[in-house]
Amino acid sequence: MYELYYYPGNASITPHVLLEEIGAPFQLHLVERARNEQKSVAYKKLNPRGLIPVLVDGDTVLYETAAICLYLSDKHPDAALAPPCGTAERGHFYKWLMFLANTVHPDTLIYFYPERYTLEATGDVGVGAIKDAVEERLTEMFQFIDAQLVKGGPYLMGEQVSLADHYLLMLARWGRNMKTPPRDMRHLRRNVELMLARPAVQRALATEGLSAPIF
Ligand SMILES: N[C@@H](CCC(=O)N[C@@H](CS)C(=O)NCC(=O)O)C(=O)O
């Protein structure tokens, strides 16, 4: 049985949703962030980076959200979470997943933890400036995604939903308190609404106790 170490609404939400999509048995372990459990000696045996999520599959212990998602997708091809290997569609799918995981996701970390991105004691003003700048960058990225969806949506891969859309749902949700939130971008909003309507997504949100406003 899979085991997923999670915290409600954290990056664990995407692997959690995928496990629901797949329908394989899994067990959730709450990581107590209030007690900084992700930095404990025991947890760091699973993820030496001290970050959520971690997936355990027998002897296989994995961290990094995108890696976990691809691993689950590869193990469960029937769930059709990604286009077949060796196709042009697979190439475009990689492009989207890497863009989300390598470019958008790291900027969301700066947005949520701006104080970690300056060595100087810049005080509230400096930290606020970092947050403002990264919010502008994120807005531009979400607008870019919105513009791409105009061309070929409603999903990132066109007519076919993929785990990249699930990853996007997580990131769009995290942007919900921005001055120009993703929900104000028409095509991105449509994408997220379609994802939110999926029973697997609803089950994961309910289990994690996440209620409106979701994004
Ligand atoms: N690149 C990592 C980032 C994971 C990450 O930053 N997780 C956050 C929760 S969304 C976390 O564990 N934060 C706790 C901390 O920084 O101590 C991944 O994709 O798994």
mmCIF file of all heavy atoms in Angstrom, residues 10-11 33 36 38-39 50-53 63-66 105 109 113 116 167 174, ligand 1:
data_model
loop_
_atom_site.group_PDB
_atom_site.id
_atom_site.type_symbol
_atom_site.label_atom_id
_atom_site.label_comp_id
_atom_site.label_asym_id
_atom_site.label_seq_id
_atom_site.Cartn_x
_atom_site.Cartn_y
_atom_site.Cartn_z
ATOM 1 N N ASN A 10 -0.715 21.514 1.170
ATOM 2 C CA ASN A 10 0.694 21.619 0.776
ATOM 3 C C ASN A 10 0.919 20.907 -0.566
ATOM 4 O O ASN A 10 -0.025 20.405 -1.188
ATOM 5 C CB ASN A 10 1.591 21.012 1.859
ATOM 6 C CG ASN A 10 1.867 21.971 3.015
ATOM 7 O OD1 ASN A 10 2.811 21.821 3.758
ATOM 8 N ND2 ASN A 10 1.039 22.993 3.183
ATOM 9 N N ALA A 11 2.181 20.844 -0.979
ATOM 10 C CA ALA A 11 2.495 20.228 -2.271
ATOM 11 C C ALA A 11 2.053 18.764 -2.336
ATOM 12 O O ALA A 11 1.956 18.194 -3.431
ATOM 13 C CB ALA A 11 3.994 20.342 -2.548
ATOM 14 N N ARG A 33 3.094 20.271 10.952
ATOM 15 C CA ARG A 33 3.929 21.438 10.656
ATOM 16 C C ARG A 33 4.028 22.381 11.850
ATOM 17 O O ARG A 33 5.035 23.065 12.014
ATOM 18 C CB ARG A 33 3.402 22.172 9.426
ATOM 19 C CG ARG A 33 3.697 21.409 8.153
ATOM 20 C CD ARG A 33 3.624 22.294 6.950
ATOM 21 N NE ARG A 33 4.541 23.420 7.020
ATOM 22 C CZ ARG A 33 4.801 24.235 6.020
ATOM 23 N NH1 ARG A 33 4.217 24.028 4.858
ATOM 24 N NH2 ARG A 33 5.622 25.244 6.147
ATOM 25 N N ASN A 36 6.907 21.538 13.456
ATOM 26 C CA ASN A 36 8.058 21.446 12.539
ATOM 27 C C ASN A 36 8.518 19.996 12.357
ATOM 28 O O ASN A 36 9.712 19.722 12.225
ATOM 29 C CB ASN A 36 9.228 22.280 13.068
ATOM 30 C CG ASN A 36 9.614 23.354 12.069
ATOM 31 O OD1 ASN A 36 8.908 23.573 11.069
ATOM 32 N ND2 ASN A 36 10.722 24.012 12.318
ATOM 33 N N GLN A 38 8.437 18.178 9.936
ATOM 34 C CA GLN A 38 9.147 17.890 8.671
ATOM 35 C C GLN A 38 10.663 18.040 8.819
ATOM 36 O O GLN A 38 11.420 17.600 7.964
ATOM 37 C CB GLN A 38 8.602 18.766 7.522
ATOM 38 C CG GLN A 38 9.001 20.220 7.545
ATOM 39 C CD GLN A 38 8.108 21.078 8.447
ATOM 40 O OE1 GLN A 38 7.347 20.567 9.250
ATOM 41 N NE2 GLN A 38 8.204 22.381 8.303
ATOM 42 N N LYS A 39 11.083 18.710 9.914
ATOM 43 C CA LYS A 39 12.529 18.874 10.151
ATOM 44 C C LYS A 39 13.043 17.887 11.211
ATOM 45 O O LYS A 39 14.193 17.991 11.652
ATOM 46 C CB LYS A 39 12.842 20.313 10.611
ATOM 47 C CG LYS A 39 12.338 21.403 9.673
ATOM 48 C CD LYS A 39 13.023 21.367 8.312
ATOM 49 C CE LYS A 39 12.594 22.552 7.457
ATOM 50 N NZ LYS A 39 12.524 22.259 6.029
ATOM 51 N N GLY A 50 13.824 17.722 4.365
ATOM 52 C CA GLY A 50 12.866 18.169 5.382
ATOM 53 C C GLY A 50 11.653 18.848 4.796
ATOM 54 O O GLY A 50 11.137 19.820 5.362
ATOM 55 N N LEU A 51 11.179 18.357 3.656
ATOM 56 C CA LEU A 51 10.034 18.988 2.983
ATOM 57 C C LEU A 51 8.932 17.968 2.721
ATOM 58 O O LEU A 51 9.187 16.761 2.621
ATOM 59 C CB LEU A 51 10.489 19.613 1.651
ATOM 60 C CG LEU A 51 11.517 20.769 1.760
ATOM 61 C CD1 LEU A 51 12.039 21.132 0.388
ATOM 62 C CD2 LEU A 51 10.894 21.975 2.445
ATOM 63 N N ILE A 52 7.727 18.477 2.570
ATOM 64 C CA ILE A 52 6.525 17.692 2.274
ATOM 65 C C ILE A 52 6.253 17.858 0.772
ATOM 66 O O ILE A 52 6.339 19.003 0.276
ATOM 67 C CB ILE A 52 5.346 18.246 3.098
ATOM 68 C CG1 ILE A 52 5.665 18.157 4.597
ATOM 69 C CG2 ILE A 52 4.043 17.541 2.766
ATOM 70 C CD1 ILE A 52 4.806 19.071 5.463
ATOM 71 N N PRO A 53 5.939 16.799 0.044
ATOM 72 C CA PRO A 53 5.538 15.453 0.470
ATOM 73 C C PRO A 53 6.671 14.434 0.385
ATOM 74 O O PRO A 53 7.719 14.690 -0.164
ATOM 75 C CB PRO A 53 4.477 15.106 -0.588
ATOM 76 C CG PRO A 53 5.008 15.728 -1.846
ATOM 77 C CD PRO A 53 5.672 17.009 -1.399
ATOM 78 N N TYR A 63 10.869 11.694 -2.681
ATOM 79 C CA TYR A 63 10.447 13.074 -2.447
ATOM 80 C C TYR A 63 10.611 13.845 -3.742
ATOM 81 O O TYR A 63 11.112 13.291 -4.714
ATOM 82 C CB TYR A 63 11.194 13.721 -1.276
ATOM 83 C CG TYR A 63 12.692 13.609 -1.311
ATOM 84 C CD1 TYR A 63 13.471 14.602 -1.882
ATOM 85 C CD2 TYR A 63 13.335 12.510 -0.760
ATOM 86 C CE1 TYR A 63 14.847 14.506 -1.912
ATOM 87 C CE2 TYR A 63 14.726 12.401 -0.788
ATOM 88 C CZ TYR A 63 15.466 13.412 -1.364
ATOM 89 O OH TYR A 63 16.838 13.306 -1.400
ATOM 90 N N GLU A 64 10.184 15.067 -3.756
ATOM 91 C CA GLU A 64 10.031 15.944 -4.929
ATOM 92 C C GLU A 64 8.692 15.615 -5.617
ATOM 93 O O GLU A 64 8.504 14.539 -6.216
ATOM 94 C CB GLU A 64 11.189 15.856 -5.927
ATOM 95 C CG GLU A 64 12.439 16.614 -5.464
ATOM 96 C CD GLU A 64 12.201 18.109 -5.233
ATOM 97 O OE1 GLU A 64 11.490 18.748 -6.030
ATOM 98 O OE2 GLU A 64 12.702 18.639 -4.230
ATOM 99 N N THR A 65 7.806 16.583 -5.546
ATOM 100 C CA THR A 65 6.420 16.390 -5.982
ATOM 101 C C THR A 65 6.310 15.875 -7.415
ATOM 102 O O THR A 65 5.575 14.910 -7.681
ATOM 103 C CB THR A 65 5.656 17.723 -5.843
ATOM 104 O OG1 THR A 65 5.866 18.211 -4.517
ATOM 105 C CG2 THR A 65 4.186 17.553 -6.101
ATOM 106 N N ALA A 66 7.036 16.514 -8.341
ATOM 107 C CA ALA A 66 6.902 16.114 -9.750
ATOM 108 C C ALA A 66 7.402 14.685 -9.951
ATOM 109 O O ALA A 66 6.822 13.917 -10.732
ATOM 110 C CB ALA A 66 7.666 17.083 -10.646
ATOM 111 N N HIS A 105 6.563 26.766 -9.515
ATOM 112 C CA HIS A 105 6.581 26.276 -8.123
ATOM 113 C C HIS A 105 7.675 26.970 -7.276
ATOM 114 O O HIS A 105 7.378 27.469 -6.175
ATOM 115 C CB HIS A 105 6.749 24.752 -8.132
ATOM 116 C CG HIS A 105 6.483 24.085 -6.821
ATOM 117 N ND1 HIS A 105 6.206 22.749 -6.691
ATOM 118 C CD2 HIS A 105 6.471 24.570 -5.543
ATOM 119 C CE1 HIS A 105 6.034 22.446 -5.413
ATOM 120 N NE2 HIS A 105 6.197 23.523 -4.707
ATOM 121 N N LEU A 109 7.377 29.483 -3.705
ATOM 122 C CA LEU A 109 8.078 29.347 -2.420
ATOM 123 C C LEU A 109 8.623 30.702 -1.976
ATOM 124 O O LEU A 109 8.604 31.032 -0.783
ATOM 125 C CB LEU A 109 9.195 28.312 -2.524
ATOM 126 C CG LEU A 109 8.725 26.872 -2.782
ATOM 127 C CD1 LEU A 109 9.913 25.932 -2.950
ATOM 128 C CD2 LEU A 109 7.838 26.367 -1.643
ATOM 129 N N TYR A 113 7.537 32.373 1.428
ATOM 130 C CA TYR A 113 8.613 32.485 2.428
ATOM 131 C C TYR A 113 9.639 33.520 2.001
ATOM 132 O O TYR A 113 10.839 33.200 1.898
ATOM 133 C CB TYR A 113 9.327 31.144 2.621
ATOM 134 C CG TYR A 113 8.441 29.925 2.836
ATOM 135 C CD1 TYR A 113 8.316 28.947 1.847
ATOM 136 C CD2 TYR A 113 7.755 29.735 4.036
ATOM 137 C CE1 TYR A 113 7.529 27.813 2.040
ATOM 138 C CE2 TYR A 113 6.972 28.608 4.235
ATOM 139 C CZ TYR A 113 6.858 27.649 3.231
ATOM 140 O OH TYR A 113 6.093 26.532 3.431
ATOM 141 N N ARG A 116 13.177 33.962 3.554
ATOM 142 C CA ARG A 116 14.250 32.987 3.344
ATOM 143 C C ARG A 116 15.148 33.369 2.163
ATOM 144 O O ARG A 116 16.134 32.702 1.898
ATOM 145 C CB ARG A 116 13.657 31.608 3.031
ATOM 146 C CG ARG A 116 12.895 31.006 4.186
ATOM 147 C CD ARG A 116 12.420 29.607 3.802
ATOM 148 N NE ARG A 116 11.587 29.034 4.835
ATOM 149 C CZ ARG A 116 10.942 27.883 4.711
ATOM 150 N NH1 ARG A 116 11.039 27.187 3.593
ATOM 151 N NH2 ARG A 116 10.196 27.424 5.694
ATOM 152 N N TYR A 167 -1.260 19.492 -11.246
ATOM 153 C CA TYR A 167 -0.177 20.305 -10.680
ATOM 154 C C TYR A 167 -0.545 21.784 -10.776
ATOM 155 O O TYR A 167 -0.335 22.571 -9.837
ATOM 156 C CB TYR A 167 1.127 20.015 -11.448
ATOM 157 C CG TYR A 167 2.398 20.176 -10.650
ATOM 158 C CD1 TYR A 167 3.163 19.074 -10.280
ATOM 159 C CD2 TYR A 167 2.851 21.432 -10.258
ATOM 160 C CE1 TYR A 167 4.335 19.213 -9.554
ATOM 161 C CE2 TYR A 167 4.028 21.579 -9.530
ATOM 162 C CZ TYR A 167 4.764 20.461 -9.179
ATOM 163 O OH TYR A 167 5.917 20.604 -8.449
ATOM 164 N N TRP A 174 -2.710 28.224 -4.756
ATOM 165 C CA TRP A 174 -1.794 28.990 -3.910
ATOM 166 C C TRP A 174 -1.770 30.470 -4.294
ATOM 167 O O TRP A 174 -1.370 31.314 -3.490
ATOM 168 C CB TRP A 174 -0.380 28.419 -4.010
ATOM 169 C CG TRP A 174 -0.213 27.072 -3.375
ATOM 170 C CD1 TRP A 174 -1.085 26.455 -2.509
ATOM 171 C CD2 TRP A 174 0.866 26.159 -3.546
ATOM 172 N NE1 TRP A 174 -0.592 25.221 -2.149
ATOM 173 C CE2 TRP A 174 0.602 25.021 -2.759
ATOM 174 C CE3 TRP A 174 2.037 26.193 -4.295
ATOM 175 C CZ2 TRP A 174 1.469 23.925 -2.700
ATOM 176 C CZ3 TRP A 174 2.904 25.109 -4.235
ATOM 177 C CH2 TRP A 174 2.619 23.991 -3.449
HETATM 178 N N1 LIG B 1 10.597 21.045 -4.502
HETATM 179 C C1 LIG B 1 9.857 20.443 -3.422
HETATM 180 C C2 LIG B 1 9.241 21.560 -2.605
HETATM 181 C C3 LIG B 1 8.457 20.990 -1.430
HETATM 182 C C4 LIG B 1 8.099 22.076 -0.419
HETATM 183 O O1 LIG B 1 8.632 23.191 -0.416
HETATM 184 N N2 LIG B 1 7.142 21.733 0.475
HETATM 185 C C5 LIG B 1 6.686 22.669 1.480
HETATM 186 C C6 LIG B 1 5.183 22.524 1.677
HETATM 187 S S1 LIG B 1 4.268 23.030 0.237
HETATM 188 C C7 LIG B 1 7.317 22.356 2.816
HETATM 189 O O2 LIG B 1 7.563 21.206 3.125
HETATM 190 N N3 LIG B 1 7.548 23.402 3.618
HETATM 191 C C8 LIG B 1 8.033 23.228 4.948
HETATM 192 C C9 LIG B 1 9.337 23.888 5.198
HETATM 193 O O3 LIG B 1 9.845 24.598 4.290
HETATM 194 O O4 LIG B 1 9.863 23.678 6.286
HETATM 195 C C10 LIG B 1 8.793 19.515 -3.977
HETATM 196 O O5 LIG B 1 8.318 19.732 -5.089
HETATM 197 O O6 LIG B 1 8.437 18.535 -3.310
#
